[in-house]
Amino acid sequence: MDLKTITNAPAIVIRPYRPADAADTMAIFLAAVTDTAAADYSPEQIQAWARPETRELSTWHAAMHARNSYVAIVDGEPAGFSDVDRLGYIDMMFVDPRFLGLGVARQLLAHVEAYARAGRLTELTANVSITARPFFERYGFTVEAKQHPVMIGVQLTNYAMKKNLLSN
């Protein structure tokens, strides 16, 4: 079933990351990078970013757990994930390509923003891919700098972005 053809958008539930989510969130990350981001990055850049052969589930879980991560659930299935630290930095926000266009990223961003506001933070920041930049801009983030990080010897492009929470 193609979820994009459903006229009534499915409910999206955002909940804290759980240890059992490790494999699903890693699969979402890999699919989002290798499929969705492939429109804006070369195959060499995608490989350097995704590095599927070096990903270990225990290391992935430890990092997800440490980052205050959240998982978006659609029809009982993990559809995306994000995180936000105590300073308002969003390290990851990825949506399974099968769930694009349903509002998953929007709900995740609303959740992490609510967390930041509850913690009386003044801003959210993120290093955002070329692919994700229009989404973040749509929700009030501005580009602070264009960056060229190097991963395993391959240069990529991303953007340091910020959203002021005091003016919204």
Side-chain angles (χ1 to χ4, degrees), residues 13-125:
V13 176
I14 308 295
R15 64 160 173 76
Y17 170 86
R18 301 174 185 158
D21 295 324
D24 288 330
T25 54
M26 188 163 71
I28 290 168
F29 166 78
L30 292 171
V33 171
T34 59
D35 184 5
T36 309
D40 297 305
Y41 293 91
S42 72
E44 181 184 35
Q45 290 171 317
I46 293 297
Q47 178 61 28
W49 184 3
R51 299 185 312 277
E53 68 285 346
T54 66
R55 303 267 175 202
E56 292 184 10
L57 213 48
S58 60
T59 304
W60 179 268
H61 164 66
M64 289 291 291
H65 180 71
R67 282 197 307 265
N68 186 37
S69 300
Y70 298 94
V71 177
I73 305 295
V74 175
D75 292 333
E77 191 174 348
F81 68 93
S82 189
D83 56 52
V84 61
D85 70 15
R86 288 186 217 115
L87 301 176
Y89 177 70
I90 300 168
D91 186 49
M92 296 184 128
M93 178 173 294
F94 291 95
V95 175
D96 186 313
R98 298 173 301 139
F99 293 92
L100 289 174
L102 298 178
V104 172
R106 181 177 43 80
Q107 293 288 341
L108 283 164
L109 184 57
H111 190 85
V112 299
E113 185 171 329
Y115 170 90
R117 288 182 185 279
R120 302 199 186 284
L121 298 178
T122 60
E123 66 184 20
L124 287 171
T125 59

